[in-house]
Amino acid sequence: MIRVDRDDAVAVLTVDRQDALNALDVATLTDLRDRLRDVAGDDGIRAVILTGAGEKAFVAGADIKYMSGLDVEQAKAWGALGHEAGRLLETMPKPTIAAVNGFALGGGCELALACDIRYAASGARLGQPEVNLGIIPGWGGTQRLARVCGLGVAKELIFTGRVVDAEEALRIGLVNGVHDPVLDKARETAALLASKSNVALRIMKELANRALGGEHGANLRAEGEMFGELFAGEDAKEGLSAFVEKRDPVFKGT
Ligand code: DAK
């Protein structure tokens, strides 16, 4: 199941299936997809944290026992469900943070990769060991690992299935920081982001997601357009005026 805890404008989604190290079966992944839809559409929530229950695992992957019985069509549907969850994390109009509190393997690493920011506990282990099962990463790992860490690092990790510790994950850019307790750090960053202009954050996220795809010139033009459109709302005026008037800004989200 997925636990949802609300702390002001921050939602913490916790994957809780501890007897299987939070591995995702159909019920858990469907629940996660549905809860992500909820928080994506809730304007009162300004930042979202994804973590795992217990001290051992973030998500130890897709449920291997379930996958061992799949036929072609079921495997495709399973891939699509994971992609839906990943796309929600990646594209919802607010920041998403993975608090990687233990094993983040296979589909677990892929969910973390779909988040905007990743923090790891010092004991975390991350990787894409699918090759050892005779399969490939199927929830975005072949694409997002390269976007986050570069193609050379990504190919080595997905071809070998090698699992990295938190220190190496930080060195290769797979996580943004290593912190204990990792959830405290995620909450701190989420609260900071929740205090900023959510209009600016939404537009920055949309533009940043285009950075590694599409046509560079078109993306720059989109940045110019969206920058201009910010001035139709209040937050840009408020932030700029507050600086000039030497006071803290009060953003309204318009
Ligand atoms: N699935 C199911 N059960 C799992 C699991 C998993 N991924 N990981 C752990 N568990 C279960 C274990 O089976 C065990 O259950 P019982 O035997 O007690 O019933 C329980 O969790 C505790 O695990 P261990 O006893 O193994 O605990 P250890 O501390 O000894 O070892 C471990 C921890 C994380 C090193 C080990 O559990 C492990 O290696 N787990 C598997 C990790 C892994 O390979 N993850 C990647 C899974 S593959 C696709 C869509 C999706 C995907 C691919 C393609 N398409 C549609 C194309 C995604 C693939 C994956 O995620």
Side-chain angles (χ1 to χ4, degrees):
M1 64 164 289
I2 307 300
R3 289 200 325 253
V4 182
D5 298 296
R6 185 80 184 265
D7 182 6
D8 285 334
V10 175
V12 180
L13 272 57
T14 305
V15 179
D16 192 351
R17 192 176 170 236
Q18 293 183 59
D19 56 347
L21 299 185
N22 303 326
L24 297 169
D25 58 4
V26 175
T28 313
L29 182 55
T30 303
D31 196 10
L32 177 61
R33 189 270 319 269
D34 292 346
R35 300 294 74 76
L36 286 170
R37 279 184 182 158
D38 293 344
V39 296
D42 184 337
D43 289 341
I45 294 173
R46 288 167 161 249
V48 175
I49 296 169
L50 179 65
T51 193
E55 297 193 345
K56 221 175 152 186
F58 174 73
V59 170
D63 190 301
I64 297 172
K65 290 163 203 162
Y66 169 70
M67 286 194 295
S68 65
L70 296 181
D71 64 23
V72 172
E73 289 314 312
Q74 289 167 326
K76 287 183 179 172
W78 183 231
L81 184 59
H83 278 149
E84 270 188 85
R87 284 297 274 169
L88 281 160
L89 287 163
E90 186 173 57
T91 65
M92 72 170 73
K94 58 195 82 180
T96 54
I97 302 173
V100 179
N101 54 313
F103 289 111
L105 302 176
C109 190
E110 291 173 300
L111 287 177
L113 283 166
C115 291
D116 299 314
I117 296 170
R118 283 158 294 287
Y119 295 126
S122 56
R125 299 284 180 276
L126 300 94
Q128 302 287 165
E130 287 90 342
V131 68
N132 299 325
L133 302 166
I135 59 174
I136 65 166
W139 291 341
T142 64
Q143 304 303 303
R144 293 195 182 103
L145 189 57
R147 285 174 165 238
V148 170
C149 298
L151 188 56
V153 168
K155 282 181 173 171
E156 194 251 340
L157 290 183
I158 64 173
F159 291 0
T160 64
R162 190 167 68 81
V163 170
V164 302
D165 61 18
E167 192 187 324
E168 182 174 356
L170 180 62
R171 184 162 51 75
I172 63 177
L174 178 50
V175 297
N176 297 78
V178 178
H179 305 272
D180 293 314
V182 67
L183 192 53
D184 286 1
K185 177 63 184 176
R187 284 184 188 279
E188 181 191 316
T189 300
L192 174 70
L193 296 178
S195 74
K196 297 191 184 291
S197 163
N198 59 341
V199 180
L201 280 172
R202 171 174 54 76
I203 294 174
M204 281 191 285
K205 176 164 174 170
E206 193 181 327
L207 288 165
N209 278 343
R210 296 168 70 148
L212 298 177
E215 204 265 310
H216 183 53
N219 291 344
L220 287 173
R221 283 193 292 283
E223 184 190 74
E225 275 297 307
M226 291 190 195
F227 179 74
E229 283 163 19
L230 270 179
F231 287 80
E234 293 303 317
D235 279 2
K237 287 173 198 147
E238 167 63 12
L240 297 166
S241 306
F243 178 85
V244 174
E245 294 161 16
K246 299 188 187 301
R247 59 175 175 83
D248 289 333
V250 181
F251 294 117
K252 296 205 176 77
T254 60

